[in-house]
Amino acid sequence: MKKGLTIVLFLIILLTAGCASKWALNTDFSVRQLLWLKSPKTPKVKYLMSVKGFEETNTTLRSLLYGKGKSVIVRPIAVSTGRDGRFAIADTGSKSVHLYIPSEKLYRNLFDVNAGGKEEEIISPVGVTFDDELRLYVSDSVLNKVVVFDRQGNSLFSIGKAGDSILQRPTGLAYDHNKKLLYVVDTLAHKIYAFNNDGKLIFSFGRRGNGSGEFNFPTHIFLSSAGQLYVTDAMNFRIQIFDSTGKFLTAFGNHGDGSGDFALPKGVAADKYDIIYVVDSLFDNIQFFNHEGDFLLTLGNRGGDQGEFWLPSGIFIDDNDTLYICDTYNKRVQMFRIIGDTDEF
């Protein structure tokens, strides 16, 4: 009996020893169709699902000994996707970044950095973006640097200076795949820096003020498919739009408590239909504007149901017209499909 049990255990170990962990999303799908309309007969966004965490799906030697792995999202602040469908979520609650690669069913929780021989832990990840080589950039507003990881999640190096200036509080990130430039918002410097892939400063723009091209604690940034930069100028309560060289184009927004006003603007994004999406954390919603800054409609309100939010923050739109919103205090990332004028829904 004991011999037979030993053989069975040996076979199980043999079969699972070489197995790599496979992971899947812990999601919440809608059983009903949820649409938000920009006119009585024209839907603009459709709810897809919410991501709450990640779960190990296969059996490995480790899972036999310790149980299958599970990782939950605690306080998502920023989200971004790569060209192969991978995505990263900056989670200040867990002081880490969730990296998930669907094509490989691979999940990694990135919480430490070993760049240049110096080991340290991520403290406050607030921005994420991918470059054309699928390297991941993570801004840490306490470490005051941008950490660069390879496509498998191994740390490579960090960016702590912009020329002769030390990064004071790096926050929002965006990457230009055409010009191979990384844009970094430095909130305390009231400036945007542009770096090449090696972390060398190429140019910068902005200074403190309330004039065109000036900032008062900027936070988030997004590069549209048209090559325009959208920056949340938080304490000026507006969105500023620039070309990829930092040339000011236009701005809109003001402080208030009505539709189209801003109370605590956070993430910003723009789709290929020239619709601009602005997260307002205090309103617990996302406001939609046209390119001229005219208010169109609102997505969400305070709550924990699908399509509702609690102090949301980061936002991202991928190449497949999927809208990602960090529903920060509901501990999830909600996903929506952007519907074009000729799309079926």
Side-chain angles (χ1 to χ4, degrees):
M1 180 70 177
K2 290 183 178 180
K3 182 177 181 181
L5 182 60
T6 301
I7 293 173
V8 171
L9 289 173
F10 175 76
L11 288 174
I12 292 174
I13 292 172
L14 189 64
L15 289 171
T16 59
C19 295
S21 295
K22 301 294 182 183
W23 291 73
L25 300 175
N26 177 6
T27 58
D28 175 17
F29 288 91
S30 176
V31 296
R32 54 199 171 99
Q33 184 167 257
L34 296 174
L35 297 170
W36 285 262
L37 310 180
K38 69 176 182 180
S39 68
K41 294 184 178 180
T42 308
K44 182 55 190 172
V45 291
K46 175 183 178 181
Y47 177 84
L48 294 177
M49 65 178 181
S50 295
V51 179
K52 299 180 176 180
F54 309 86
E55 298 175 335
E56 193 175 11
T57 58
N58 65 331
T59 300
T60 64
L61 179 58
R62 179 180 176 84
S63 68
L64 284 174
L65 295 174
Y66 303 106
K68 290 188 176 180
K70 191 177 205 179
S71 182
V72 297
I73 296 172
V74 181
R75 197 177 300 160
I77 293 293
V79 60
S80 185
T81 68
R83 55 181 169 79
D84 68 342
R86 68 181 59 203
F87 61 88
I89 301 169
D91 187 341
T92 57
S94 65
K95 297 183 179 181
S96 67
V97 175
H98 305 278
L99 173 63
Y100 184 64
I101 308 174
S103 61
E104 302 176 24
K105 296 182 179 179
L106 174 66
Y107 168 77
R108 287 198 63 182
N109 187 234
L110 310 179
F111 56 86
D112 58 1
V113 179
N114 185 1
K118 182 181 179 181
E119 293 188 9
E120 53 189 350
E121 293 185 348
I122 291 174
I123 300 174
S124 178
V126 293
V128 285
T129 194
F130 292 95
D131 67 15
D132 49 337
E133 298 176 5
L134 297 176
R135 297 192 304 179
L136 172 63
Y137 299 82
V138 178
S139 58
D140 191 308
S141 62
V142 172
L143 293 180
N144 296 328
K145 62 179 64 175
V146 177
V147 183
V148 187
F149 297 86
D150 67 17
R151 59 187 299 151
Q152 294 301 318
N154 304 303
S155 58
L156 296 172
F157 63 94
S158 61
I159 303 170
K161 284 188 173 183
D164 295 328
S165 300
I166 296 174
L167 294 181
Q168 297 180 50
R169 183 172 293 171
T171 50
L173 300 176
Y175 186 81
D176 189 330
H177 294 270
N178 294 319
K179 296 191 174 184
K180 317 297 183 191
L181 288 177
L182 170 71
Y183 297 95
V184 179
V185 177
D186 192 327
T187 298
L188 291 185
H190 312 282
K191 192 181 293 287
I192 314 296
Y193 295 109
F195 299 91
N196 66 13
N197 285 1
D198 297 322
K200 178 183 177 182
L201 179 66
I202 303 302
F203 64 88
S204 65
F205 60 96
R207 63 180 181 183
R208 190 167 194 183
N210 58 13
S212 297
E214 297 178 335
F215 301 108
N216 191 15
F217 297 99
T219 53
H220 297 74
I221 189 169
F222 182 82
L223 180 72
S224 72
S225 58
Q228 293 184 339
L229 289 167
Y230 295 77
V231 180
T232 302
D233 188 6
M235 296 310 295
N236 281 326
F237 301 97
R238 64 183 178 180
I239 301 299
Q240 295 202 63
I241 306 174
F242 303 84
D243 69 12
S244 60
T245 68
K247 178 183 177 182
F248 173 81
L249 299 176
T250 188
F252 68 91
N254 55 267
H255 188 219
D257 59 5
S259 297
D261 294 333
F262 297 138
L264 188 58
K266 294 281 189 175
V268 62
D271 66 23
K272 62 186 179 185
Y273 309 103
D274 286 332
I275 302 299
I276 303 166
Y277 304 72
V278 183
V279 176
D280 197 297
S281 192
L282 198 59
F283 292 156
D284 297 299
N285 66 19
I286 293 83
Q287 299 189 86
F288 297 15
F289 301 84
N290 64 19
H291 200 263
E292 287 69 46
D294 299 319
F295 172 75
L296 299 176
L297 74 150
T298 296
L299 165 62
N301 52 261
R302 168 65 71 90
D305 203 354
Q306 296 165 345
E308 296 179 336
F309 304 95
W310 186 13
L311 297 177
S313 50
I315 189 171
F316 188 79
I317 298 173
D318 68 16
D319 294 335
N320 298 314
D321 289 339
T322 302
L323 174 67
Y324 302 77
I325 300 170
C326 292
D327 188 5
T328 304
Y329 279 83
N330 279 324
K331 303 180 179 183
R332 62 188 178 182
V333 174
Q334 295 198 57
M335 297 169 58
F336 302 81
R337 178 189 164 205
I338 297 171
I339 302 171
D341 293 338
T342 60
D343 290 347
E344 295 183 1
F345 60 93

